[in-house]
Amino acid sequence: SGRSKKANQGKEAVANAIEVLTLYYKNAAQAFVQAKTQRKASPVDEDTTGAGFEGSYQGKQAASEGILGILEVIKSDFERTLRVTNEEESAAQAKFVDFERASKSDISGKSTTQERDEEALETATRTKHTKMDDLKTKMDMVDSALKQLEELTPLCIDSGMSYDDRVAKREEEVAALKKAVCMLDEAGVEPDCSKP
C-alpha cells in the first residue's frame, strides 16, 4: 500500500542517514587522533602554547549521540508504522477473504433458491392455465345447462291447467298416438291395433 511504501522509504532514508553520520563521527574521531600523532612539531608549535585547547579535535561526539538517538527513534517509528500497517493490512485481507467467501456462499444459496422459485412459478403458471381452461369448459357446460333449463322450465311449471286437466290431456295425447300407430300399421303387427 502507499502507506507501507512511504514508511519503508522513510525507514531506509533514516537508516542511510544513521549509517552516514555514524561513519562520519567514527572517522572524524580517528582522523583527528591520527593527524595529531602524525604531525611533527613545528617551530610555531614550540613558540605557542597551542590552539587554545588540549588534545585533538574529534568532532562534537556528545552531540552526535543526541542526533543519532533522535534518528534511531525516528527509524523505530517507521519500523512500528510498517509493522502496524502490515498487521492492519493482513487483518483487512483476512476479513476480505472471509467476507468474499460468505458473500459467494450467500449468492450461491440465493441463486439456487431463485432457480427453485422460478421453476415453482413456471409450474404454478402452467397449472393455473390448465385450471383456467378447465374452468372455462365447465362454465360453458353450466351455461348450456342453464339455457336448457330455461327452455324446459315453462314446459314443466305452471301451464295454466290443473293436475286433473293435465292428466286428461296426456291420456288424450297417448290415445291419439296409439291411433296414429294403428293407422300406420297396415301389416297388422301391433297388438293394440286390431281391425274391427
Side-chain angles (χ1 to χ4, degrees), residues 18-125:
I18 291 171
E19 184 180 333
V20 168
L21 287 174
T22 302
L23 185 63
Y24 169 77
Y25 282 115
K26 275 186 184 179
N27 288 341
Q30 289 175 358
F32 291 118
V33 169
Q34 288 175 1
K36 185 177 178 186
T37 58
Q38 291 176 356
R39 254 191 312 162
K40 296 188 177 163
S42 73
V44 176
D45 286 341
E46 292 174 7
D47 288 342
T48 66
T49 58
F53 54 87
E54 293 294 318
S56 63
Y57 181 72
Q58 298 177 354
K60 295 190 176 190
Q61 296 293 322
S64 73
E65 290 176 11
I67 291 170
L68 291 174
I70 290 171
L71 289 174
E72 286 293 337
V73 169
I74 292 171
K75 181 181 169 191
S76 71
D77 285 347
F78 279 122
E79 289 171 345
R80 182 182 56 77
T81 299
L82 275 170
R83 187 181 67 253
V84 168
T85 300
N86 289 338
E87 288 171 0
E88 288 174 352
E89 286 178 353
S90 294
Q93 179 65 25
K95 283 183 180 178
F96 172 75
V97 168
D98 289 343
F99 173 75
E100 184 179 37
R101 285 181 185 156
S103 295
K104 284 182 179 178
S105 174
D106 189 41
I107 289 169
S108 174
K110 288 183 178 178
S111 294
T112 302
T113 301
Q114 181 182 3
E115 289 171 8
R116 288 182 185 154
D117 289 348
E118 287 173 354
E119 288 172 2
L121 177 63
E122 189 177 320
T123 301
T125 302

Side-chain angles (χ1 to χ4, degrees), residues 101-170:
R101 285 181 185 156
S103 295
K104 284 182 179 178
S105 174
D106 189 41
I107 289 169
S108 174
K110 288 183 178 178
S111 294
T112 302
T113 301
Q114 181 182 3
E115 289 171 8
R116 288 182 185 154
D117 289 348
E118 287 173 354
E119 288 172 2
L121 177 63
E122 189 177 320
T123 301
T125 302
R126 279 195 311 266
T127 303
K128 176 186 157 197
H129 288 300
T130 302
K131 298 280 184 182
M132 289 302 288
D133 289 344
D134 290 348
L135 177 65
K136 185 178 182 313
T137 302
K138 291 186 177 162
M139 288 302 291
D140 288 345
M141 290 173 64
V142 167
D143 288 344
S144 175
L146 287 174
K147 188 175 181 182
Q148 286 180 352
L149 182 63
E150 285 178 18
E151 290 173 1
L152 294 175
T153 299
L155 298 175
C156 297
I157 300 182
D158 191 24
S159 60
M161 295 194 272
S162 67
Y163 174 74
D164 292 333
D165 290 340
R166 283 193 310 255
V167 170
K169 180 134 175 119
R170 202 174 20 241

